[in-house]
Amino acid sequence: MTTLGDRFFITGCASGIGRHLADELLARGHRVVATDIDLDALRQHADTAGWPADRVHIELLDVCDPVAWTAAMEAVVEGWGGIDVMLNVAGYIRPGRCFEVDDIDVDRHFDINVKGLVFGTRAAARVMMEHGAAPRDRGHIINIASLASLAPIPGISLYSASKYAVRAFSLVAAEELRPEGIAVTVVCPDAVATPMLDKQLDYPEAALTFTAPRVLTVEDISRVILGRVLRRRPLFVAIPRWRGWLARLGDLSPRCAGFLAKVMARQGLRKQQALKRSL
């Protein structure tokens, strides 16, 4: 269980889930290493939100660059002696069917969503093993996947595939790091109102993203992560739980899932268009 003053390292802090988590953790008195590739946007929010300079370290980080990860971890070890919780939040999405995607988007989905998270997990684990607390509780790594990691989602094929990889890697990492006293949790949320969701509004092929009864908020995600995830350190969390079970059922029977997807896509398209009109 985390205590006041714990050291958090977060990727993707310039917007969305990462930014809100940083806001909440700093408000609760924790120390935060806030990173993003968009350093200007990150610094602007830090100034606007009044992040306390004595408890936040703002860092430019390209998650795809293993050398940058090494430098970032060396800096936090030198400044704070290590980290207690790693939150791999940074992600990328661009809708498209498998025959439409271009080379750049193939690279970006797997470089950012998969390789970036792998590099982050590896870097955090090494620091926690060397500089962590007692061997039984050296740290906690929280990886953000998606409900698209539980069932294949037509229209966002690359994103879904990359998040499948995130979930698989996280589950294996959890087994490998458990003997070292490091917990790994993979969090799989439904659609969240962030800039990543906004990017999907103009793509009818992404209609399945909008099939939930309501779009989740960043507050919904932080409530779960800063609540039961940090307290209980579970292996896997779906948000909401019932949608997670629905996705798992779809994965068990791909043929049935394909039929349901066509039905649900029509519903999702109507919601997608309504949301677009409301903006």
Side-chain angles (χ1 to χ4, degrees), residues 20-113:
H20 185 73
L21 284 168
D23 285 338
E24 286 292 308
L25 288 165
L26 289 167
R28 298 180 186 201
H30 297 284
R31 288 176 286 174
V32 174
V33 181
T35 71
D36 203 282
I37 197 168
D38 189 347
L39 189 59
D40 290 340
L42 180 55
R43 284 177 172 165
Q44 182 178 359
H45 177 74
D47 290 340
T48 302
W51 284 358
D54 62 327
R55 287 190 288 106
V56 66
H57 177 68
I58 295 172
E59 183 83 22
L60 172 68
L61 178 63
D62 178 357
V63 297
C64 307
D65 182 358
V67 176
W69 272 108
T70 299
M73 287 297 169
E74 287 176 350
V76 74
V77 168
E78 181 179 351
W80 292 346
I83 59 173
D84 302 297
V85 181
M86 175 75 207
L87 287 144
N88 283 305
V89 181
Y92 175 81
I93 188 170
R94 185 180 179 190
R97 293 170 292 185
C98 63
F99 56 89
E100 297 172 325
V101 298
D102 59 30
D103 296 346
I104 293 176
D105 280 327
V106 172
D107 288 339
R108 284 179 177 169
H109 279 89
F110 289 94
D111 284 348
I112 297 172
N113 295 351

Side-chain angles (χ1 to χ4, degrees), residues 235-258:
L235 176 60
F236 166 84
V237 172
I239 309 173
R241 291 179 181 177
W242 73 271
R243 289 274 287 181
W245 283 113
L246 183 63
R248 283 178 175 271
L249 288 173
D251 196 36
L252 287 173
S253 180
R255 286 187 179 275
C256 290

Side-chain angles (χ1 to χ4, degrees), residues 18 105 107 123 129 137 151 259 264 277:
D105 280 327
D107 288 339
M129 290 168 66
D137 187 16
F259 172 76
M264 294 175 69
R277 288 194 298 269

Side-chain angles (χ1 to χ4, degrees), residues 184-242:
V184 178
T185 300
V186 57
V187 178
C188 300
D190 207 343
V192 185
T194 66
M196 286 185 65
L197 185 67
D198 295 340
K199 290 179 181 179
Q200 301 178 67
L201 287 172
D202 293 326
Y203 293 86
E205 59 267 38
L208 283 171
T209 299
F210 300 88
T211 57
R214 75 175 183 91
V215 174
L216 298 174
T217 65
V218 291
E219 289 82 6
D220 292 325
I221 307 306
S222 68
R223 190 177 304 115
V224 174
I225 291 176
L226 303 185
R228 61 189 173 99
V229 170
L230 287 180
R231 285 198 308 268
R232 303 177 186 175
R233 311 209 310 177
L235 176 60
F236 166 84
V237 172
I239 309 173
R241 291 179 181 177
W242 73 271

